[in-house]
Amino acid sequence: MTKKQNNTVLKPLPFIAPGSEKKITPEEMNKRKIKFERLEKIGEKHTVITGHDVDGETENPSRIKAMILINQDKDVPEELLKQIEEYDKELLKTK
């Protein structure tokens, strides 16, 4: 939604997410940092938004499993990391 004054269109009003007025504790910041590092380790950019199934793109199912574990604050098993890597290598071969 934009605000209009004297027939001049102004910038949109800022969106404030519910709950964002709460101060984040150092513990919460550290917890988020660990999650972001784990996501990056499995090749997931937590700050990039992409569409799925665009131009035939598919998501690595093992990466989805790892993302769920990370969001549950759990470690990703080495076996699952290997599955992610193998799937990505196979996918590159077919392109």
Side-chain angles (χ1 to χ4, degrees), residues 62-81:
S62 298
R63 184 173 283 118
I64 298 292
K65 290 176 186 176
M67 290 170 62
I68 291 168
L69 290 171
I70 290 167
N71 282 320
Q72 293 173 342
D73 250 352
K74 296 178 181 175
D75 289 331
V76 179
E78 282 299 317
E79 181 62 31
L80 191 54
L81 292 172

PDB file of all heavy atoms in Angstrom, residues 62-81:
ATOM      1  N   SER A  62      17.208 -35.260  -1.021  1.00  0.00           N
ATOM      2  CA  SER A  62      18.037 -35.405   0.178  1.00  0.00           C
ATOM      3  C   SER A  62      18.315 -34.050   0.810  1.00  0.00           C
ATOM      4  O   SER A  62      18.407 -33.931   2.029  1.00  0.00           O
ATOM      5  CB  SER A  62      19.363 -36.098  -0.169  1.00  0.00           C
ATOM      6  OG  SER A  62      19.119 -37.397  -0.656  1.00  0.00           O
ATOM      7  N   ARG A  63      18.431 -33.016  -0.039  1.00  0.00           N
ATOM      8  CA  ARG A  63      18.646 -31.663   0.481  1.00  0.00           C
ATOM      9  C   ARG A  63      17.412 -31.204   1.262  1.00  0.00           C
ATOM     10  O   ARG A  63      17.531 -30.552   2.297  1.00  0.00           O
ATOM     11  CB  ARG A  63      18.962 -30.694  -0.654  1.00  0.00           C
ATOM     12  CG  ARG A  63      19.284 -29.302  -0.152  1.00  0.00           C
ATOM     13  CD  ARG A  63      19.774 -28.368  -1.255  1.00  0.00           C
ATOM     14  NE  ARG A  63      21.157 -28.675  -1.566  1.00  0.00           N
ATOM     15  CZ  ARG A  63      21.586 -29.096  -2.751  1.00  0.00           C
ATOM     16  NH1 ARG A  63      20.756 -29.253  -3.750  1.00  0.00           N
ATOM     17  NH2 ARG A  63      22.866 -29.362  -2.946  1.00  0.00           N
ATOM     18  N   ILE A  64      16.229 -31.563   0.777  1.00  0.00           N
ATOM     19  CA  ILE A  64      14.986 -31.212   1.485  1.00  0.00           C
ATOM     20  C   ILE A  64      14.980 -31.864   2.870  1.00  0.00           C
ATOM     21  O   ILE A  64      14.663 -31.217   3.871  1.00  0.00           O
ATOM     22  CB  ILE A  64      13.736 -31.655   0.689  1.00  0.00           C
ATOM     23  CG1 ILE A  64      13.673 -30.946  -0.659  1.00  0.00           C
ATOM     24  CG2 ILE A  64      12.466 -31.430   1.501  1.00  0.00           C
ATOM     25  CD1 ILE A  64      13.423 -29.471  -0.592  1.00  0.00           C
ATOM     26  N   LYS A  65      15.368 -33.146   2.931  1.00  0.00           N
ATOM     27  CA  LYS A  65      15.434 -33.848   4.227  1.00  0.00           C
ATOM     28  C   LYS A  65      16.415 -33.144   5.165  1.00  0.00           C
ATOM     29  O   LYS A  65      16.133 -32.960   6.356  1.00  0.00           O
ATOM     30  CB  LYS A  65      15.852 -35.302   4.030  1.00  0.00           C
ATOM     31  CG  LYS A  65      14.817 -36.159   3.358  1.00  0.00           C
ATOM     32  CD  LYS A  65      15.343 -37.563   3.123  1.00  0.00           C
ATOM     33  CE  LYS A  65      14.359 -38.386   2.312  1.00  0.00           C
ATOM     34  NZ  LYS A  65      14.889 -39.715   1.987  1.00  0.00           N
ATOM     35  N   ALA A  66      17.561 -32.737   4.611  1.00  0.00           N
ATOM     36  CA  ALA A  66      18.569 -32.050   5.428  1.00  0.00           C
ATOM     37  C   ALA A  66      18.042 -30.709   5.915  1.00  0.00           C
ATOM     38  O   ALA A  66      18.275 -30.328   7.067  1.00  0.00           O
ATOM     39  CB  ALA A  66      19.854 -31.867   4.622  1.00  0.00           C
ATOM     40  N   MET A  67      17.318 -29.998   5.064  1.00  0.00           N
ATOM     41  CA  MET A  67      16.761 -28.708   5.464  1.00  0.00           C
ATOM     42  C   MET A  67      15.764 -28.865   6.606  1.00  0.00           C
ATOM     43  O   MET A  67      15.727 -28.051   7.529  1.00  0.00           O
ATOM     44  CB  MET A  67      16.094 -28.021   4.266  1.00  0.00           C
ATOM     45  CG  MET A  67      17.095 -27.555   3.233  1.00  0.00           C
ATOM     46  SD  MET A  67      16.327 -27.001   1.692  1.00  0.00           S
ATOM     47  CE  MET A  67      15.353 -25.627   2.263  1.00  0.00           C
ATOM     48  N   ILE A  68      14.986 -29.931   6.561  1.00  0.00           N
ATOM     49  CA  ILE A  68      14.028 -30.201   7.642  1.00  0.00           C
ATOM     50  C   ILE A  68      14.771 -30.448   8.952  1.00  0.00           C
ATOM     51  O   ILE A  68      14.412 -29.895   9.999  1.00  0.00           O
ATOM     52  CB  ILE A  68      13.109 -31.382   7.274  1.00  0.00           C
ATOM     53  CG1 ILE A  68      12.177 -30.980   6.135  1.00  0.00           C
ATOM     54  CG2 ILE A  68      12.315 -31.861   8.489  1.00  0.00           C
ATOM     55  CD1 ILE A  68      11.426 -32.126   5.495  1.00  0.00           C
ATOM     56  N   LEU A  69      15.827 -31.262   8.889  1.00  0.00           N
ATOM     57  CA  LEU A  69      16.618 -31.534  10.100  1.00  0.00           C
ATOM     58  C   LEU A  69      17.223 -30.248  10.658  1.00  0.00           C
ATOM     59  O   LEU A  69      17.200 -30.012  11.872  1.00  0.00           O
ATOM     60  CB  LEU A  69      17.729 -32.546   9.795  1.00  0.00           C
ATOM     61  CG  LEU A  69      17.274 -33.978   9.516  1.00  0.00           C
ATOM     62  CD1 LEU A  69      18.436 -34.826   9.014  1.00  0.00           C
ATOM     63  CD2 LEU A  69      16.650 -34.581  10.760  1.00  0.00           C
ATOM     64  N   ILE A  70      17.759 -29.424   9.777  1.00  0.00           N
ATOM     65  CA  ILE A  70      18.366 -28.162  10.209  1.00  0.00           C
ATOM     66  C   ILE A  70      17.328 -27.271  10.877  1.00  0.00           C
ATOM     67  O   ILE A  70      17.584 -26.678  11.932  1.00  0.00           O
ATOM     68  CB  ILE A  70      19.032 -27.451   9.013  1.00  0.00           C
ATOM     69  CG1 ILE A  70      20.279 -28.237   8.573  1.00  0.00           C
ATOM     70  CG2 ILE A  70      19.397 -26.006   9.369  1.00  0.00           C
ATOM     71  CD1 ILE A  70      20.842 -27.818   7.234  1.00  0.00           C
ATOM     72  N   ASN A  71      16.139 -27.187  10.292  1.00  0.00           N
ATOM     73  CA  ASN A  71      15.094 -26.359  10.890  1.00  0.00           C
ATOM     74  C   ASN A  71      14.575 -26.923  12.207  1.00  0.00           C
ATOM     75  O   ASN A  71      13.997 -26.199  13.012  1.00  0.00           O
ATOM     76  CB  ASN A  71      13.951 -26.131   9.896  1.00  0.00           C
ATOM     77  CG  ASN A  71      14.310 -25.089   8.879  1.00  0.00           C
ATOM     78  OD1 ASN A  71      14.927 -24.079   9.219  1.00  0.00           O
ATOM     79  ND2 ASN A  71      13.971 -25.319   7.629  1.00  0.00           N
ATOM     80  N   GLN A  72      14.803 -28.207  12.433  1.00  0.00           N
ATOM     81  CA  GLN A  72      14.442 -28.829  13.713  1.00  0.00           C
ATOM     82  C   GLN A  72      15.599 -28.751  14.706  1.00  0.00           C
ATOM     83  O   GLN A  72      15.549 -29.345  15.769  1.00  0.00           O
ATOM     84  CB  GLN A  72      14.047 -30.294  13.493  1.00  0.00           C
ATOM     85  CG  GLN A  72      12.774 -30.466  12.719  1.00  0.00           C
ATOM     86  CD  GLN A  72      12.504 -31.919  12.384  1.00  0.00           C
ATOM     87  OE1 GLN A  72      13.376 -32.785  12.427  1.00  0.00           O
ATOM     88  NE2 GLN A  72      11.256 -32.200  12.022  1.00  0.00           N
ATOM     89  N   ASP A  73      16.646 -28.014  14.327  1.00  0.00           N
ATOM     90  CA  ASP A  73      17.839 -27.858  15.172  1.00  0.00           C
ATOM     91  C   ASP A  73      18.586 -29.173  15.364  1.00  0.00           C
ATOM     92  O   ASP A  73      19.149 -29.423  16.422  1.00  0.00           O
ATOM     93  CB  ASP A  73      17.473 -27.288  16.546  1.00  0.00           C
ATOM     94  CG  ASP A  73      17.963 -25.879  16.720  1.00  0.00           C
ATOM     95  OD1 ASP A  73      18.708 -25.395  15.851  1.00  0.00           O
ATOM     96  OD2 ASP A  73      17.612 -25.269  17.739  1.00  0.00           O
ATOM     97  N   LYS A  74      18.582 -30.017  14.333  1.00  0.00           N
ATOM     98  CA  LYS A  74      19.283 -31.301  14.403  1.00  0.00           C
ATOM     99  C   LYS A  74      20.464 -31.287  13.443  1.00  0.00           C
ATOM    100  O   LYS A  74      20.469 -30.562  12.458  1.00  0.00           O
ATOM    101  CB  LYS A  74      18.328 -32.446  14.034  1.00  0.00           C
ATOM    102  CG  LYS A  74      17.170 -32.603  15.006  1.00  0.00           C
ATOM    103  CD  LYS A  74      16.240 -33.700  14.578  1.00  0.00           C
ATOM    104  CE  LYS A  74      15.070 -33.825  15.535  1.00  0.00           C
ATOM    105  NZ  LYS A  74      14.094 -34.827  15.067  1.00  0.00           N
ATOM    106  N   ASP A  75      21.464 -32.107  13.731  1.00  0.00           N
ATOM    107  CA  ASP A  75      22.612 -32.246  12.843  1.00  0.00           C
ATOM    108  C   ASP A  75      22.212 -33.062  11.617  1.00  0.00           C
ATOM    109  O   ASP A  75      21.350 -33.936  11.692  1.00  0.00           O
ATOM    110  CB  ASP A  75      23.766 -32.939  13.549  1.00  0.00           C
ATOM    111  CG  ASP A  75      24.401 -32.057  14.615  1.00  0.00           C
ATOM    112  OD1 ASP A  75      24.371 -30.819  14.465  1.00  0.00           O
ATOM    113  OD2 ASP A  75      24.918 -32.608  15.605  1.00  0.00           O
ATOM    114  N   VAL A  76      22.898 -32.780  10.501  1.00  0.00           N
ATOM    115  CA  VAL A  76      22.677 -33.541   9.274  1.00  0.00           C
ATOM    116  C   VAL A  76      23.681 -34.691   9.259  1.00  0.00           C
ATOM    117  O   VAL A  76      24.885 -34.457   9.320  1.00  0.00           O
ATOM    118  CB  VAL A  76      22.856 -32.643   8.025  1.00  0.00           C
ATOM    119  CG1 VAL A  76      22.648 -33.449   6.758  1.00  0.00           C
ATOM    120  CG2 VAL A  76      21.901 -31.458   8.078  1.00  0.00           C
ATOM    121  N   PRO A  77      23.205 -35.937   9.193  1.00  0.00           N
ATOM    122  CA  PRO A  77      24.126 -37.079   9.179  1.00  0.00           C
ATOM    123  C   PRO A  77      25.034 -37.056   7.944  1.00  0.00           C
ATOM    124  O   PRO A  77      24.628 -36.611   6.874  1.00  0.00           O
ATOM    125  CB  PRO A  77      23.193 -38.298   9.136  1.00  0.00           C
ATOM    126  CG  PRO A  77      21.842 -37.801   9.496  1.00  0.00           C
ATOM    127  CD  PRO A  77      21.803 -36.350   9.156  1.00  0.00           C
ATOM    128  N   GLU A  78      26.251 -37.554   8.122  1.00  0.00           N
ATOM    129  CA  GLU A  78      27.222 -37.599   7.022  1.00  0.00           C
ATOM    130  C   GLU A  78      26.658 -38.354   5.822  1.00  0.00           C
ATOM    131  O   GLU A  78      26.894 -37.976   4.678  1.00  0.00           O
ATOM    132  CB  GLU A  78      28.524 -38.245   7.487  1.00  0.00           C
ATOM    133  CG  GLU A  78      29.407 -37.320   8.292  1.00  0.00           C
ATOM    134  CD  GLU A  78      29.862 -36.086   7.515  1.00  0.00           C
ATOM    135  OE1 GLU A  78      30.242 -36.202   6.332  1.00  0.00           O
ATOM    136  OE2 GLU A  78      29.831 -34.996   8.115  1.00  0.00           O
ATOM    137  N   GLU A  79      25.932 -39.440   6.078  1.00  0.00           N
ATOM    138  CA  GLU A  79      25.348 -40.227   4.994  1.00  0.00           C
ATOM    139  C   GLU A  79      24.411 -39.372   4.135  1.00  0.00           C
ATOM    140  O   GLU A  79      24.409 -39.479   2.909  1.00  0.00           O
ATOM    141  CB  GLU A  79      24.598 -41.442   5.565  1.00  0.00           C
ATOM    142  CG  GLU A  79      23.983 -42.339   4.512  1.00  0.00           C
ATOM    143  CD  GLU A  79      25.011 -42.966   3.564  1.00  0.00           C
ATOM    144  OE1 GLU A  79      26.151 -43.220   3.983  1.00  0.00           O
ATOM    145  OE2 GLU A  79      24.651 -43.198   2.398  1.00  0.00           O
ATOM    146  N   LEU A  80      23.626 -38.523   4.773  1.00  0.00           N
ATOM    147  CA  LEU A  80      22.711 -37.652   4.038  1.00  0.00           C
ATOM    148  C   LEU A  80      23.494 -36.607   3.239  1.00  0.00           C
ATOM    149  O   LEU A  80      23.138 -36.279   2.107  1.00  0.00           O
ATOM    150  CB  LEU A  80      21.722 -36.983   4.998  1.00  0.00           C
ATOM    151  CG  LEU A  80      20.534 -36.255   4.382  1.00  0.00           C
ATOM    152  CD1 LEU A  80      19.750 -37.148   3.424  1.00  0.00           C
ATOM    153  CD2 LEU A  80      19.612 -35.718   5.476  1.00  0.00           C
ATOM    154  N   LEU A  81      24.572 -36.092   3.815  1.00  0.00           N
ATOM    155  CA  LEU A  81      25.434 -35.151   3.082  1.00  0.00           C
ATOM    156  C   LEU A  81      26.008 -35.809   1.831  1.00  0.00           C
ATOM    157  O   LEU A  81      26.068 -35.193   0.761  1.00  0.00           O
ATOM    158  CB  LEU A  81      26.562 -34.642   3.983  1.00  0.00           C
ATOM    159  CG  LEU A  81      26.147 -33.744   5.148  1.00  0.00           C
ATOM    160  CD1 LEU A  81      27.343 -33.474   6.062  1.00  0.00           C
ATOM    161  CD2 LEU A  81      25.542 -32.442   4.648  1.00  0.00           C
TER     162      LEU A  81
END
